[in-house]
Structure formats: C-alpha cells, structure tokens
Amino acid sequence: MAEEVIVYPGSFDPVTYGHLDLIRRGIKIFNRVIVAVLSNPFKESFFPLVERLTMLREATQDIPGEFEIDAFDGLLIHYMREKQIRLVLRGLRAVSDFEYEFEMALTNRRLSGEVETIFMAPSENYIYLRASLVKEIALRGGNVGEFVPPNVERRLLARYREMHAMS
Ligand code: ADP
C-alpha cells in the first residue's frame, strides 16, 4: 500500500460510538490512524481539550491496531505538513453532511494540493448520531447510553448534575 497513515480530525466533543466506528473502519484499511482533536479558539467546546482527549483515550483502550490520539490547533493542512501526512479521513453520515464535508475537502485541497480526503460511511446504526445532539439529550436528562461509551455517559451525567445543582 502506497499510503499508510491517515489523519482523522474532529472536535470529538465528546467522542461517540459513530466516531469509534469510523476509527475501527479506518484501522482496517490504513496501517495507522491518527485521531487529531481540534483545539479551536474560535469555537468554544463543551468539554475542554484535555477532557476530550482523556475520553477518547479511555474509549479506545480496547481497540486493537495502530492508532494514535493527538491534538492540534490552527489549520489542519499545517498539522499534516508538519507530520508529513497526505490523507484525511472524514465520516459521511446522511446527505446533510455532504455539503459541508465537500466544502472542507475542496478548501483543504486548494490550500494544499497534496491533501486528499477519504470519506467513509459508518454503520447504519450511527447515521443519525452527532455529538451535539447527544449533548442536548444528556443535558435535558435523557439516556445516551446507546450513543456514547460508558466513560462519556458518566461525564455527561456529572455535567447534568452540576448544572441542575446550580439552578
Ligand atoms: P460531530 O459532527 O459529531 O460534532 P466532529 O466534528 O467531531 O463531530 O466530527 C469529526 C468527523 O467525524 C467528521 O468527519 C464527522 O462527519 C465524523 N462523524 C461524526 N459522527 C459520526 C457518525 N455518527 N458516523 C460517522 N462519522 C461521524
């Protein structure tokens, strides 16, 4: 295989079973997957970067194969250049993802001609799973055990309790 390493970037705020599904699929095809968690000064995250990284590490403990969890800020293409990686992995859920993902892929290609984006579809069970929706459900007291691993569910529940203790 000519290309061995692929970067899977995202906010992972928090990691869901959809993300984990994609990581597993990526590992089967590429020799190494680098999950790169974005620290974005323009967009406030729900969980701080350190917590997002910890949750990902905990949730991927049992996944066999070659992968790494890293953090980056700034532009993805700069991170990739520094690491000398050319491939980006992104998930395509429903059609609703297409426009945004296509825009990102083509913009990254414009910024750096070497970058190539590979899209993968998750298992059908996760087609409508997005982190923002999971947070909304959890913070309104709903059960999210079907969508996120137990370590993430615990943290969401703790946040829910904190918020309700304050109000
Ligand atoms: P989200 O859109 O859930 O807030 P991220 O910004 O962390 O997620 O997304 C990182 C990448 O993971 C994106 O390419 C996104 O399409 C993909 N992804 C997120 N959730 C899923 C899912 N349920 N199935 C497949 N890919 C997903």
Side-chain angles (χ1 to χ4, degrees):
M1 197 187 311
E3 300 289 344
E4 307 195 323
V5 188
I6 193 160
V7 174
Y8 178 32
S11 32
F12 304 95
D13 188 26
V15 59
T16 68
Y17 281 137
H19 295 128
L20 296 176
D21 181 271
L22 225 69
I23 294 173
R24 286 179 199 276
R25 284 174 200 283
I27 289 171
K28 280 194 200 149
I29 296 181
F30 302 94
N31 289 352
R32 188 172 178 73
V33 175
I34 301 181
V35 184
V37 184
L38 175 65
S39 156
N40 188 348
F42 302 110
K43 194 176 137 199
E44 206 181 315
S45 60
F46 182 72
F47 287 107
L49 178 67
V50 176
E51 219 173 335
R52 284 183 277 145
L53 287 165
T54 304
M55 283 187 278
L56 252 167
R57 287 205 180 99
E58 292 166 349
T60 51
Q61 257 173 30
D62 299 331
I63 299 184
E66 275 290 306
F67 69 94
E68 185 187 312
I69 294 163
D70 196 10
F72 76 103
D73 55 15
L75 284 179
L76 177 63
I77 54 144
H78 291 159
Y79 173 77
M80 295 182 65
R81 209 169 277 161
E82 184 194 307
K83 293 250 166 189
Q84 296 192 311
I85 301 171
R86 220 169 65 92
L87 299 182
V88 183
L89 174 63
R90 295 289 289 179
L92 268 189
R93 288 166 285 199
V95 184
S96 49
D97 272 347
F98 183 81
E99 186 84 27
Y100 175 73
E101 290 295 340
F102 204 56
E103 183 184 310
M104 287 290 289
L106 293 185
T107 306
N108 279 333
R109 186 184 281 163
R110 267 220 157 146
L111 294 173
S112 167
E114 299 126 48
V115 169
E116 218 39 85
T117 305
I118 313 277
F119 295 104
M120 289 185 86
S123 145
E124 281 168 83
N125 300 340
Y126 307 133
I127 284 280
Y128 294 110
L129 175 51
R130 63 179 65 249
S132 51
L133 204 56
V134 170
K135 278 177 286 196
E136 255 187 76
I137 298 169
L139 299 182
R140 294 199 167 117
N143 186 343
V144 291
E146 229 183 289
F147 309 129
V148 291
N151 66 313
V152 175
E153 190 184 5
R154 272 196 302 277
R155 278 170 204 258
L156 282 166
L157 195 62
R159 280 294 198 97
Y160 171 76
R161 292 198 175 124
E162 258 171 51
M163 286 168 71
H164 286 264
M166 283 191 286
S167 58

